[in-house]
Amino acid sequence: MGRRFELVTVVLPWSGQAVFCRGELDGLPVFGWRGRPGAVPAGLCTRRQLRAEGLRPGGADPVALLVFGHRRAARSVEVCPLWRRETARAVRPMTPARWLAIEAALRARRFCRTHLGHVDHVVRGPLRQCSDCYVGQVA
């Protein structure tokens, strides 16, 4: 079984507000998923939620943790960090040089080492062969 958290009251240092949480882990308050006691207070976001709003943590340390379980994965529990929305910074804009670097990296993923050419799909495996070279080698 996973770790069980009991509801405790903590005072958030950034707002002075007393909220219920599921305890502490590594000195950070642990909150549960929405709609339950000990749920995440307003203003805290995961990295993906920040990114969806065009923000990033900006080097700040997480201020809390979110714990949630997976129903299908043998009742495993996952913990992810939470950041304050107020301290988040805007995502840096893509520059032409960054676009070129991404295009070069994606092009490198489509390079077959056997026939030394580019293909229309991502090559996989330890030999980095395209599907035609792999089928020719197996047959």
Side-chain angles (χ1 to χ4, degrees):
M1 279 292 225
R3 178 178 171 175
R4 297 279 182 190
F5 291 96
E6 296 180 12
L7 289 178
V8 296
T9 305
V10 296
V11 177
L12 301 177
W14 58 88
S15 68
Q17 177 185 10
V19 296
F20 284 112
C21 74
R22 296 185 177 204
E24 288 189 350
L25 186 63
D26 296 332
L28 298 175
V30 177
F31 294 101
W33 197 243
R34 294 180 272 158
R36 298 186 180 164
V40 178
L44 295 182
C45 299
T46 64
R47 186 181 300 270
R48 285 188 180 198
Q49 290 170 334
L50 288 175
R51 188 64 182 203
E53 297 177 16
L55 300 172
R56 62 186 170 94
D61 291 329
V63 295
L65 299 172
L66 171 67
V67 63
F68 59 95
H70 296 280
R71 292 183 182 170
R72 296 185 184 191
R75 298 197 182 274
S76 64
V77 176
E78 189 170 342
V79 178
C80 67
L82 296 169
W83 287 272
R84 291 179 51 204
R85 183 179 287 121
E86 297 85 31
T87 61
R89 297 181 183 171
V91 174
R92 294 183 203 117
M94 289 294 286
T95 62
R98 290 177 75 187
W99 280 115
L100 287 174
I102 289 174
E103 288 175 9
L106 292 175
R107 192 171 44 252
R109 294 180 65 196
R110 296 188 308 264
F111 184 77
C112 176
R113 292 183 183 172
T114 302
H115 76 266
L116 303 177
H118 291 280
V119 293
D120 61 348
H121 60 275
V122 175
V123 295
R124 301 189 186 276
L127 299 178
R128 309 297 279 168
Q129 294 176 322
C130 66
S131 57
D132 294 335
C133 293
Y134 178 77
V135 170
Q137 181 182 11
V138 172

